[in-house]
Amino acid sequence: MQVASKLAYALLILFGLTIAFSACKNNDQPAPVLGITGISPATAPVNGTVAITGTQFSATPASNTVTFGGNAVAEILSASTTQLVVRVPANAQSGAISVTTGGQTISSTQVFSLGTRAVVPKSLTITANETWTSDNVYQLNGFVYVRSGATLTIQPGTIIKGGGRDADPSGQQKGGTLIIEAGAKIDARGTATNPIVFTSSKPAGQRGYGDWGGIVLIGKAPINQPAATGFEGGISGQTGSYSDVNDNSGIMQYVRIEFPGIALLANSEINGLTLYGVGAGTTIDHIQVSYSGDDSYEWFGGTVNMKYLVALRGFDDDWDTDWGYSGKVQYGVALRDPNVADQSSSNGFESDNFKDNGQPATGPNAGLPLTSPVFANMSNFAFSSTPSNAVTAGGSGPYQSGMHLRRNTTISIFNSLLAGYPEGLRLDNGTAPGNGTAANIAAGTLQLRGIVLANDEIPNSTTVVRGAGGITNAQAQEFFNTAAFGNKIVTAADIATLLFNPATFTLTGPNFLPGTGSPLLTGAVWDGKGADAFFTKEPFRGAFGTANWTAGWTNWDPQNTPYN
């Protein structure tokens, strides 16, 4: 009996334990979590590729965000739930890699190290087809000429550094400069996420205006100078008697040019991007020139058409046209540094047809082309507070005009905004005998339509538009204010009505999109030369409507960007 009771008691305990264990059992599996299990390779250069392995990534590339060292967002090349292949971004730093997806963020325990690419020096001449790859850094030492018949191909993401005067192997103290000669081509096709960058060879924090020369394209389209005219800046060779309006010097897309513009001779400099006789068969768009020591862009004749141009903190003029340039340009923005201008008096647009020596002749222009480009949807922002003459603050001269149009030019500008210059427009007949700026205005070949001059420095609008060289202020103002042209002057008291974005004048991170309801979003005029089929007939005036075409590929702070 006692044995039976003990057996029953034992069975009861066993039953209870079984019930307890059954009650505690949880059949639910833990939810999968985002995780990083490996990085390969653990060291890679900017624009190199890295494979990140782990769990619970999104198989949709755009649903993942990968950052290197905190804020540098990588381009995702492919994605699965267990692997992301990414491109190392230009501003990456050594440290952990983080992945964000589905509301979760995880950082790697494995440390990523930013690698340094090999530096490949380039000097003298390139005489055969050549490709520069993104796994190297290339340095221009002295003038580098791409000779006729050769094509220089540059891969997306490639870094090219311009050497200073002391790196010139010829001993002539010429800063690194890339020169594409007539008959040669450049094929530099960057992308919005992987632009090609030409920059200073100096380290971050030590770069400055004119650290190197810049990029020069020479084509075979018409110019209005005699054959055998020399190029500026000490470039070898001379102009020819070219007439191919559709000449092709190659392709440049999504290219940044930083700290160029070197003065090698008095009044003879190399600009950020210089174009001599470049033809309409050439493709150029999405270009940013930053901190140029001379003009950001200068066209010496030619017929090339261009779109989406940025000029950041240039020293002299932003858009300089001369020698009979007759192409078309749409969408361009210039942001100036209020403390930096040139001794020649910096302008937004500066347009000439001949120098004050009167060559070539007026009238039929000796059978050569007049300077007659057409620009549309351009925005120039000089500064947002009291203008400085810039001499004591880092420059060598004052600001002058949003547009200085002179010496028989027949430039035309449509639907554009020029803000903050001491004067908005100067129409100048020049001093050479028989020049015809005034005649071009009277003939209707120089056209200004849909222009907004936002002069927030001088409230007296009678000084915003002026004449010079025989054109009176009254004549200039009568022309500009012709009702059918749709031009407008906005003085200090009314600047706020334009609804500029508060970040418009932020030098290292601007936002140029006008506010909702801004009068800049309407009022465009597309008659006359603006009716050309090249132009997209935007409703807005200035470079921007509601889309920011500078996003992704531009760099507003190249001074502090590490390029390795």
Side-chain angles (χ1 to χ4, degrees):
M1 220 28 212
Q2 191 174 16
V3 173
S5 295
K6 289 182 178 179
L7 181 59
Y9 180 73
L11 291 172
L12 182 62
I13 292 175
L14 180 61
F15 177 77
L17 290 173
T18 301
I19 296 296
F21 281 122
S22 297
C24 292
K25 185 177 181 181
N26 184 353
N27 289 322
D28 294 333
Q29 296 296 318
V33 295
L34 182 65
I36 297 176
T37 57
I39 301 168
S40 180
T43 299
V46 169
N47 295 312
T49 56
V50 172
I52 306 167
T53 55
T55 55
Q56 289 302 107
F57 302 146
S58 173
T60 303
S63 297
N64 304 281
T65 300
V66 178
T67 57
F68 284 66
N71 297 318
V73 179
E75 177 186 6
I76 299 175
L77 303 177
S78 66
S80 72
T81 57
T82 58
Q83 185 183 76
L84 302 175
V85 178
V86 303
R87 192 187 305 278
V88 180
N91 54 342
Q93 298 179 5
S94 297
I97 296 177
S98 297
V99 176
T100 299
T101 188
Q104 301 179 72
T105 298
I106 187 71
S107 296
S108 65
T109 56
Q110 185 179 2
V111 174
F112 170 80
S113 296
L114 185 64
T116 301
R117 287 174 284 185
V119 177
V120 179
K122 289 293 176 180
S123 60
L124 303 176
T125 60
I126 295 173
T127 58
N129 293 349
E130 186 167 308
T131 298
W132 295 357
T133 59
S134 61
D135 56 350
N136 293 316
V137 172
Y138 296 83
Q139 179 160 318
L140 303 170
N141 295 325
F143 284 7
V144 179
Y145 294 90
V146 180
R147 299 299 194 193
S148 178
T151 296
L152 173 61
T153 300
I154 305 176
Q155 289 183 347
T158 302
I159 306 295
I160 302 97
K161 295 185 177 181
R165 296 173 184 271
D166 58 351
D168 182 4
S170 72
Q172 298 180 52
Q173 296 289 299
K174 295 180 177 180
T177 303
L178 180 63
I179 302 162
I180 310 299
E181 293 191 326
K185 290 183 180 180
I186 186 171
D187 188 342
R189 283 183 258 193
T191 68
T193 56
N194 211 21
I196 294 166
V197 180
F198 289 79
T199 193
S200 169
S201 61
K202 294 182 179 178
Q206 299 179 29
R207 301 163 185 150
Y209 290 93
D211 277 349
W212 61 291
I215 301 176
V216 180
L217 270 61
I218 303 172
K220 296 183 178 182
I223 62 174
N224 67 10
Q225 299 297 302
T229 298
F231 302 112
E232 290 193 1
I235 297 170
S236 66
Q238 297 175 324
T239 62
S241 299
Y242 297 129
S243 59
D244 184 358
V245 295
N246 292 313
D247 185 50
N248 183 359
S249 294
I251 299 175
M252 290 180 65
Q253 295 176 308
Y254 294 103
V255 175
R256 299 204 304 259
I257 307 168
E258 302 168 352
F259 305 100
I262 197 167
L264 296 171
L265 302 170
N267 299 313
S268 182
E269 301 89 4
I270 292 176
N271 308 283
L273 179 59
T274 305
L275 304 114
Y276 286 97
V278 177
T282 309
T283 299
I284 303 179
D285 60 72
H286 295 90
I287 310 295
Q288 180 180 19
V289 176
S290 303
Y291 292 89
S292 176
D294 194 53
D295 299 332
S296 294
Y297 299 82
E298 185 159 8
W299 294 262
F300 291 91
T303 55
V304 63
N305 303 317
M306 298 165 63
K307 286 190 175 184
Y308 302 112
L309 309 180
V310 178
L312 175 64
R313 302 174 80 164
F315 204 90
D316 196 4
D317 307 319
D318 300 306
W319 328 108
D320 195 339
T321 57
D322 205 343
W323 285 24
Y325 173 53
S326 60
K328 296 175 281 288
V329 178
Q330 187 173 23
Y331 311 116
V333 62
L335 178 63
R336 302 297 305 222
D337 187 325
N339 295 318
V340 176
D342 187 64
Q343 60 184 352
S344 64
S345 300
S346 296
N347 303 298
F349 287 90
E350 184 173 279
S351 188
D352 301 307
N353 185 62
F354 52 71
K355 302 300 183 186
D356 274 341
N357 62 10
Q359 296 297 323
T362 55
N365 212 45
L368 300 172
L370 282 166
T371 298
S372 57
V374 186
F375 287 79
N377 294 112
M378 310 294 286
S379 288
N380 273 57
F381 299 98
F383 26 69
S384 61
S385 58
T386 303
S388 165
N389 68 9
V391 174
T392 59
S396 60
Y399 282 97
Q400 181 184 284
S401 310
M403 298 175 284
H404 189 185
L405 314 182
R406 61 186 182 177
R407 298 172 180 162
N408 202 27
T409 182
T410 58
I411 189 174
S412 295
I413 304 171
F414 283 76
N415 305 317
S416 295
L417 167 68
L418 297 108
Y421 284 87
E423 61 187 43
L425 169 64
R426 180 178 293 197
L427 290 171
D428 189 347
N429 226 29
T431 59
N435 61 52
T437 305
N440 296 337
I441 293 170
T445 53
L446 189 161
Q447 300 176 359
L448 302 178
R449 311 283 169 85
I451 305 295
V452 176
L453 299 180
N455 189 289
D456 58 348
E457 314 307 334
I458 303 175
N460 183 358
S461 64
T462 62
T463 62
V464 176
V465 174
R466 64 176 60 194
I471 299 175
T472 67
N473 287 354
Q475 289 170 329
Q477 291 160 18
E478 180 182 10
F479 165 69
F480 184 80
N481 293 324
T482 301
F485 296 168
N487 299 320
K488 185 176 182 179
I489 295 172
V490 180
T491 55
D494 296 320
I495 287 294
T497 64
L498 296 179
L499 299 180
F500 285 156
N501 191 295
T504 295
F505 294 95
T506 303
L507 291 177
T508 57
N511 184 338
F512 301 114
L513 298 186
T516 302
S518 169
L520 295 171
L521 295 173
T522 59
V525 178
W526 292 108
D527 62 6
K529 294 182 180 180
D532 190 282
F534 171 81
F535 297 109
T536 301
K537 305 304 188 292
E538 305 285 8
F540 54 83
R541 292 170 291 174
F544 301 92
T546 58
N548 182 9
W549 49 263
T550 69
W553 61 277
T554 53
N555 184 356
W556 304 105
D557 189 19
Q559 177 64 266
N560 295 304
T561 301
Y563 291 114
N564 296 304

